[in-house]
Amino acid sequence: MKHLFALLLASTSLTTHMALAQGAAPAPAGAARPAGAAPAITLAPAAKGTGRLSGTVLDATTRQPVEFATITLLPPVGEKPVDGTVCDDKGRFALKGLAAGEYRVVISFIGYGSKTQIVSLAEGKMTQDLGTVTLQTETKQLNEVTVTGERPVVESKPDRLVYNAVQDNTNKGATAADVLRKAPMVSVDPDGNLQLRGSGNVRILINGKPSSVVASDVAQALKQMPGDQIKSVEVITNPSAKYESEGSAGIINIVLKENNLQGINGNVGVAIGTRNSNGNLALNARKGKFGLSSSLNGWAFYAPGVQGVDRTDFNVQNSEGQSTTGFLTQRNNGNGGGGGGNGRIGLDYEPAPNHALNLSLSMAQFRNQFDVDIENRYRLAQGNVPGESRDYQRDLLQKFRMQNYDLTGSYTRTFGQGSRREWSVLGQHSRNQRRTFYNIDQFAIDDDAHSTPEYQENSPNLARNRETTLQTDYVHPLTETQTVELGGKLIWRNVGSDYHVNKAYGDGAFTEDAALSNVFSYDQNVAATYATYATNLGKKYTARLGARLERTDLSGEFQGQDGRFTTDYTNLLPNLSLTRNLKQQGSTVRVSYSRRIQRPSIFYLNPYRNQTDQYNVQFGNPQLDAEFSDNYELNWNAFVKGSVINISPYARITNNAIEAKRTTVPVVNSLGETINVVETTYGNIARNQTYGMNLFGSIKPLPKWDISGNVNVYYVYLSSVALNTTNSGVVYSANINSGYKFEKGLSLQFFGMLNSPRIQLQGTSSAWQMYSVGLRKEIMKGKGDLTLNADNPFTKYVRMTNDFRTQYSEQTNTTRIYNRGVRMAFSYRFGKLENKAKRPARSIRNDDQKQGDGGGNGQQ
């Protein structure tokens, strides 16, 4: 609690500072602007009329919109503004109600040189479109390296919070899990399990597209992806109808590094650490209408660990008349490691000014191995008195291997300079293949030499996921303030699992256990269409109304068995929001509602039984249904003198939530003994109600010092009629990120976070904390940098516990995760740096599947 108090105090001070700063004079309402935009402007009294000025602001080199650029209307003489506004996220602006006369229009934004245009409004010429206005970046040339104005570490945009990972020194040599921990509203525990505002129902996209890398197990994907690849992380809690309606908590889009520079250029990097090491290379070439980008990465990790299980078994379900039947004590000591690599290659071609083609291929391979020594003691009880003991030792070998690829193509058609009309067609084919294997040698408890196994077991499992997607999107502006978006998507998915269990007793030969071996096939096909209408309601309000209509067809079967099961459902999923611009320039209030769907992925469906621990068995449920959530959110966003504050009360209600289901059942084990086994699977068995508030703020106390922080507090109530149980409680998480830039290219970054215990349907998991510090020095005339990072330097292990109760047992799982890490990283940039205009990228977003949380259940 003392850690929470300290962070809450820091966040309260930050919030108070920004709230007091709002005493600044108000300015005309406009779209939200990020930290670093020009401060609020005080307007001179001006006569009103029918005049109107509009235009679009673009970056002069990239031709991308300059989001939230400041537009100031000045009189011919003097510096007191007559009117003003900020651009929207497309770079568009409009000033209305202007009197006739001559004006100066000043357009500016941080990191760019300002531009002034003289305009004259007169009878017959009261409406003027300035067209496209370009701003040049303010740059300082260092040989071949160009330094421009930098973005803040965290930005607040109208529909999302953006964590700019490239600005955070502590990410050098880190994994994607380390990077996502620092994003606002996001929590990633030491085992890689991700949550957004307390929910694990999150859709992960990479460059706006689904990826086979995260198709089945998010935690594994985050551990294997190098953090050096990541440019930014976008957190979207209320996606529009254009996005798939999956992810009850929202969408996290991981944006990878890329560039659009002419000539040949790239970068190389290497990091060596005590927990993980990696190397990366990026090479890009662009000339005229053609562009080629590529990257190659390799990594390795090391993972010692200690785990314990303590369980008490009972003979009846309730506490009245309950007596103890046995005690389980299990201690596991192991070492593991692994590594892999991935590569990406992309080709861009622009045959004409309004046409763009893109083709990209990404591939990855990952493998690991763990060797674990297990000591298991199970003591029977008579009443509550210990009795006969069933003890053994086990040598466990686990192997895991994953291969995947994504092939994506797109065509984008625009309709003239400055036009918002756009049509795109996209296609993607993905394949993910996972091979797992375990081998068990079991010995008597007193056989320290491990001479002759009394029992042996091994199990290979091949799980695969194939997915093909076609998508089209069309944007059509009806008027300058009204826009319609239409689109459709088809997804064909096929997942399968080929699993076998082989057993041997004493010196006997291995034989297959037919009851635990089979081949499972599952098809999931989705057809969807959407429409969104957005309009301004006067000067202060913006409304967005949208809906998705989705049809889902499911079928599955086991080899050699009758009873192929099929089901289908059609759902209308509405999405709406209303935004009001406040008097304080850039400040907005938004209220929104959306209904979202979460389909189970192979992680939850795979019926393969993981029996590496005979007392605790995990398997998936192939007959899971999709879950549906109703999301409500109120968001207040303000920009005050370079500071940002964002407050979001929210509610999320799911009536048929997919939750882990643990039951204790008597089973005859490999030696013919009857033992109690805790079986963990998944079911649509719960109602999940979450009510919370998220507070995010950022501030620059000094020009070279920035601080940002996030606090999320929510109350969760879980209930299950099927299990006749409920659980509830208050949960919180908080983080703080701070950086300081010294002279001569030296900078320092600090990050810290804490999380309270988590509420589960049948128990709780423990609190945990993490912190890191990074020091970076620019070298080689700005072409390279050297970074030293330390993660949890004063804490070798993170201790995590998971307590749960079934109808016949109480169990505590304790895991000590090696989490102290020191890394030294070096990176070097080379080649010509000449910008070329880059078209907006279109992407496929398959965000309709509930994905695994890394627990290993149902997918080994």
Side-chain angles (χ1 to χ4, degrees):
M1 287 298 293
K2 64 180 181 181
H3 301 291
L4 173 64
F5 178 76
L7 273 181
L8 285 174
L9 184 61
S11 300
T12 303
S13 301
L14 176 63
T15 306
T16 304
H17 177 94
M18 290 185 288
L20 291 175
Q22 292 190 73
R33 62 186 175 94
I41 54 178
T42 304
L43 304 180
K48 294 296 180 181
T50 60
R52 187 178 188 281
L53 290 173
S54 61
T56 303
V57 182
L58 301 180
D59 185 297
T61 53
T62 68
R63 307 298 293 181
Q64 294 294 292
V66 180
E67 304 175 36
F68 317 114
T70 300
I71 313 299
T72 307
L73 191 67
L74 298 173
V77 179
E79 299 301 321
K80 192 155 191 177
V82 175
D83 204 344
T85 188
V86 293
C87 296
D88 63 15
D89 59 351
K90 302 294 185 182
R92 303 184 301 260
F93 69 89
L95 294 169
K96 304 175 184 177
L98 303 177
E102 194 169 272
Y103 300 96
R104 289 177 294 152
V105 180
V106 180
I107 304 167
S108 61
F109 191 67
I110 186 171
Y112 292 86
S114 63
K115 180 169 285 190
T116 301
Q117 291 194 16
I118 306 298
V119 297
S120 180
L121 299 177
E123 290 297 329
K125 199 177 179 182
M126 291 295 288
T127 300
Q128 292 191 31
D129 185 353
L130 302 183
T132 299
V133 182
T134 59
L135 296 183
Q136 293 282 352
T137 57
E138 293 180 329
T139 64
K140 181 179 180 181
Q141 190 74 23
L142 295 176
N143 290 336
E144 293 178 314
V145 179
T146 302
V147 180
T148 63
E150 293 184 341
R151 291 182 178 273
V153 174
V154 180
E155 293 180 277
S156 180
K157 294 189 176 184
D159 63 339
R160 67 194 66 190
L161 290 175
V162 180
Y163 168 61
N164 291 306
V166 292
Q167 305 296 344
D168 190 338
N169 300 337
T170 61
N171 291 328
K172 291 291 183 179
T175 67
D178 297 321
V179 174
L180 262 68
R181 285 188 182 100
K182 303 167 189 176
M185 309 187 201
V186 178
S187 170
V188 183
D189 72 19
D191 206 28
N193 302 315
L194 180 145
Q195 289 189 334
L196 174 58
R197 295 205 298 202
S199 173
N201 296 339
V202 185
R203 182 54 168 170
I204 307 294
L205 305 178
I206 298 178
N207 285 342
K209 302 185 290 291
S211 173
S212 57
V213 174
V214 294
S216 56
D217 194 330
V218 173
Q220 286 285 0
L222 296 183
K223 291 175 185 177
Q224 67 183 260
M225 181 186 297
D228 287 339
Q229 289 186 358
I230 299 175
K231 175 185 176 184
S232 62
V233 178
E234 299 177 342
V235 181
I236 311 169
T237 57
N238 184 40
S240 69
K242 184 175 184 176
Y243 291 83
E244 247 66 28
S245 296
E246 185 275 342
S248 59
I251 292 173
I252 296 176
N253 183 31
I254 300 174
V255 181
L256 302 181
K257 295 176 181 177
E258 61 178 18
N259 66 49
N260 56 312
L261 304 175
Q262 286 279 43
I264 298 175
N265 55 82
N267 62 272
V268 61
V270 62
I272 299 176
T274 58
R275 255 196 319 139
N276 56 277
S277 300
N278 64 71
N280 58 83
L281 171 67
L283 186 63
N284 309 282
R286 186 175 294 274
K287 185 175 183 180
K289 298 179 179 180
F290 292 90
L292 180 69
S293 61
S294 63
S295 66
L296 187 65
N297 303 274
W299 65 91
F301 74 93
Y302 335 103
V306 178
Q307 187 178 44
V309 176
D310 296 278
R311 191 175 84 208
T312 302
D313 294 333
F314 309 107
N315 63 346
V316 293
Q317 293 191 42
N318 54 60
S319 57
E320 295 182 9
Q322 188 179 76
S323 62
T324 302
T325 59
F327 305 93
L328 171 66
T329 302
Q330 191 178 97
R331 296 296 178 260
N332 306 334
N333 289 278
N335 282 282
N342 64 39
R344 293 187 296 127
I345 186 168
L347 176 65
D348 299 305
Y349 175 57
E350 299 178 7
N354 295 329
H355 302 266
L357 297 167
N358 175 270
L359 183 66
S360 64
L361 173 67
S362 62
M363 304 179 70
Q365 179 171 298
F366 172 72
R367 62 177 62 195
N368 62 36
Q369 178 175 313
F370 291 90
D371 294 284
V372 185
D373 295 325
I374 301 172
E375 181 179 285
N376 191 98
R377 297 181 183 273
Y378 191 90
R379 187 169 297 278
L380 297 176
Q382 298 174 351
N384 291 316
V385 180
E388 179 186 349
S389 181
R390 297 171 179 169
D391 305 332
Y392 61 79
Q393 300 180 64
R394 277 186 169 185
D395 291 338
L396 169 65
L397 171 65
Q398 289 181 297
K399 294 183 178 180
F400 171 85
R401 179 182 176 185
M402 184 185 73
Q403 296 172 299
N404 62 73
Y405 69 81
D406 299 317
L407 179 63
T408 306
S410 67
Y411 165 74
T412 302
R413 169 77 161 94
T414 56
F415 297 85
Q417 182 66 41
S419 172
R420 291 178 289 145
R421 186 180 169 202
E422 182 179 280
W423 175 56
S424 63
V425 179
L426 306 98
Q428 177 173 282
H429 179 71
S430 302
R431 180 169 183 141
N432 179 289
Q433 183 172 279
R434 300 161 54 91
R435 294 180 181 272
T436 58
F437 174 83
Y438 72 77
N439 184 82
I440 295 171
D441 292 329
Q442 180 171 312
F443 304 91
I445 193 67
D446 55 358
D447 185 3
D448 294 331
H450 290 188
S451 55
T452 303
E454 58 183 17
Y455 172 72
Q456 294 177 283
E457 180 179 308
N458 64 58
S459 176
N461 174 223
L462 170 61
R464 55 174 172 75
N465 184 93
R466 289 197 298 263
E467 184 172 301
T468 301
T469 304
L470 293 177
Q471 172 182 321
T472 184
D473 300 287
Y474 178 66
V475 180
H476 187 87
L478 300 177
T479 67
E480 196 167 292
T481 60
Q482 300 180 69
T483 303
V484 171
E485 296 184 47
L486 304 169
K489 177 179 286 190
L490 296 172
I491 307 173
W492 296 272
R493 293 191 180 101
N494 174 257
V495 299
S497 178
D498 185 351
Y499 54 97
H500 303 270
V501 175
N502 306 302
K503 299 179 178 180
Y505 300 88
D507 295 328
F510 279 95
T511 58
E512 183 175 277
D513 187 333
L516 300 177
S517 306
N518 212 312
V519 178
F520 170 67
S521 180
Y522 181 86
D523 292 304
Q524 184 184 90
N525 300 322
V526 181
T529 183
Y530 76 88
T532 298
Y533 171 71
T535 183
N536 290 348
L537 303 176
K539 292 186 177 181
K540 294 183 178 181
Y541 291 92
T542 301
R544 186 187 69 197
L545 307 174
R548 291 186 69 87
L549 181 64
E550 298 191 352
R551 162 79 178 190
T552 305
D553 292 283
L554 307 174
S555 63
E557 65 178 340
F558 291 92
Q559 182 175 288
Q561 296 183 12
D562 295 329
R564 177 180 177 86
F565 60 89
T566 61
T567 188
D568 59 76
Y569 43 86
T570 302
N571 304 102
L572 181 65
L573 305 163
N575 182 297
L576 56 92
S577 68
L578 180 65
T579 302
R580 188 185 192 281
N581 296 318
L582 304 177
K583 290 183 178 180
Q584 184 70 37
Q585 187 176 4
S587 298
T588 60
V589 172
R590 182 181 72 246
V591 61
S592 61
Y593 164 78
S594 63
R595 183 166 174 80
R596 304 188 63 76
I597 188 173
Q598 195 91 38
R599 300 181 183 90
S601 69
I602 183 63
F603 181 91
Y604 294 93
L605 298 168
N606 192 352
Y608 167 65
R609 294 174 66 90
N610 176 5
Q611 298 195 146
T612 54
D613 177 2
Q614 67 170 340
Y615 287 95
N616 294 278
V617 177
Q618 302 94 35
F619 54 94
N621 178 2
Q623 298 194 27
L624 286 173
D625 292 327
E627 63 179 31
F628 296 88
S629 299
D630 294 291
N631 292 357
Y632 307 84
E633 180 177 326
L634 177 65
N635 182 280
W636 177 61
N637 197 59
F639 302 93
V640 184
K641 294 184 178 180
S643 299
V644 180
I645 185 170
N646 183 287
I647 300 177
S648 301
Y650 61 90
R652 181 174 59 248
I653 300 173
T654 306
N655 288 317
N656 62 334
I658 298 173
E659 295 285 346
K661 175 185 177 182
R662 298 181 176 93
T663 55
T664 304
V665 296
V667 173
V668 178
N669 70 3
S670 57
L671 300 179
E673 303 166 330
T674 300
I675 62 173
N676 284 338
V677 176
V678 173
E679 295 187 339
T680 301
T681 187
Y682 298 93
N684 299 95
I685 56 173
R687 175 178 170 85
N688 184 325
Q689 298 171 258
T690 302
Y691 308 94
M693 177 176 290
N694 191 87
L695 167 65
F696 167 78
S698 69
I699 190 172
K700 290 180 73 71
L702 297 172
K704 296 183 179 181
W705 184 21
D706 62 81
I707 304 173
S708 63
N710 191 86
V711 177
N712 182 45
V713 181
Y714 62 91
Y715 171 79
V716 61
Y717 178 81
L718 297 167
S719 61
S720 173
V721 174
L723 297 180
N724 190 29
T725 188
T726 63
N727 201 4
S728 63
V730 175
V731 181
Y732 62 83
S733 63
N735 67 49
I736 188 167
N737 202 324
S738 181
Y740 190 88
K741 294 180 174 64
F742 299 92
E743 301 295 331
K744 299 181 179 181
L746 187 66
S747 57
L748 181 68
Q749 196 84 26
F750 171 79
F751 171 79
M753 70 179 305
L754 60 89
N755 288 266
S756 73
R758 290 291 190 264
I759 305 297
Q760 302 173 4
L761 180 60
Q762 292 175 282
T764 60
S765 60
S766 64
W768 54 276
Q769 303 82 35
M770 299 185 71
Y771 55 97
S772 61
V773 61
L775 182 66
R776 183 178 67 178
K777 177 68 172 72
E778 291 185 358
I779 57 177
M780 306 172 73
K781 297 182 179 180
K783 297 180 183 179
D785 57 64
L786 195 63
T787 307
L788 178 64
N789 286 306
D791 300 325
N792 308 289
F794 306 110
T795 310
K796 185 175 182 180
Y797 289 93
V798 173
R799 183 178 182 272
M800 301 188 66
T801 61
N802 187 6
D803 301 299
F804 61 87
R805 180 185 177 98
T806 72
Q807 75 276 41
Y808 294 114
S809 65
E810 289 182 348
Q811 181 167 313
T812 297
N813 297 341
T814 303
T815 304
R816 296 174 64 200
I817 300 173
Y818 182 69
N819 212 48
R820 175 189 291 168
V822 178
R823 298 185 307 277
M824 177 67 75
F826 167 77
S827 64
Y828 175 75
R829 298 168 291 278
F830 59 88
K832 294 177 63 179
L833 299 185
E834 300 175 14
N835 278 313
K836 178 188 181 296
K838 183 176 185 293
R839 291 180 176 273
R842 309 300 299 174
S843 60
I844 287 177
R845 305 177 178 92
N846 285 359
D847 41 20
D848 62 310
Q849 281 197 303
K850 183 182 179 78
Q851 300 172 0
D853 60 1
N857 300 340
Q859 179 64 28
Q860 292 289 337

